[in-house]
């Protein structure tokens, strides 16, 4: 359930004392809607989650002391060697949120409304520590609440979150 938010942050820092590469692919975020006939349906609220296109405006990478950038899809880093994104995070820094990956939605999710999210992910190393998530407002960095969609624990094998 949303707490009134438009962005999910994955806190990638403070999980290792060495640089870690995270690989992400097949992001799907859907918002539960009800039409005039009271039929419930799921509306997609991010684009290019398979990274086969070039548009990455729904995704932001924040790397410690390097600022924010939209990721560039790369051939061979996604599932089954498809296009995906790679996020390189420097060794452990001050706070878990010093380096983050953000998924921003095409619309705001009001408090108590429901979303579904799924994605594939892995890391260059078995990190061994869970990565937590946060709910943010319209822009990455506008912190709202912690534990937005639970935690993930990346390994060197592809995993599916839903």
């Amino acid at each position: 359930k949303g707490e009134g938010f438009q962005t999910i942050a994955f806190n990638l820092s403070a999980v290792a004392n060495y640089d870690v590469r995270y690989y992400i692919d097949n992001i799907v975020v859907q918002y539960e809607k009800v039409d005039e006939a009271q039929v419930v349906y799921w509306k997609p609220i991010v684009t290019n989650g398979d990274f086969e296109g070039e548009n990455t405006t729904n995704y932001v990478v924040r790397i410690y002391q390097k600022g924010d950038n939209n990721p560039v899809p790369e051939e061979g880093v996604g599932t089954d060697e498809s296009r995906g994104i790679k996020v390189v995070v420097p060794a452990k820094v001050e706070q878990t949120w010093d380096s983050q990956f953000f998924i921003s939605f095409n619309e705001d999710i009001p408090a108590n409304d429901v979303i579904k999210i799924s994605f594939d992910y892995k890391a260059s190393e078995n990190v061994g520590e869970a990565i937590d998530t946060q709910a943010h407002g319209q822009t990455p960095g506008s912190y709202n609440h912690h534990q937005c969609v639970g935690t993930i624990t990346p390994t060197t094998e592809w995993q599916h979150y839903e």
Side-chain angles (χ1 to χ4, degrees), residues 82-93:
S82 67
R83 286 170 53 103
I85 57 169
K86 175 175 63 177
V87 179
V88 180
V89 176
K92 188 173 184 172
V93 292

Side-chain angles (χ1 to χ4, degrees), residues 13-50:
S13 293
V15 295
N17 290 319
Y18 44 82
D19 291 357
V20 176
R21 292 177 308 281
Y22 294 97
Y23 302 92
I24 305 163
D25 198 6
N26 300 317
I27 298 171
V28 176
V29 183
Q30 297 175 316
Y31 177 32
E32 185 180 56
K33 302 286 264 182
V34 180
D35 67 14
E36 301 86 29
Q38 299 304 302
V39 175
V40 175
Y41 67 99
W42 292 94
K43 177 183 178 183
I45 55 175
V46 297
T47 56
N48 196 33
D50 63 1

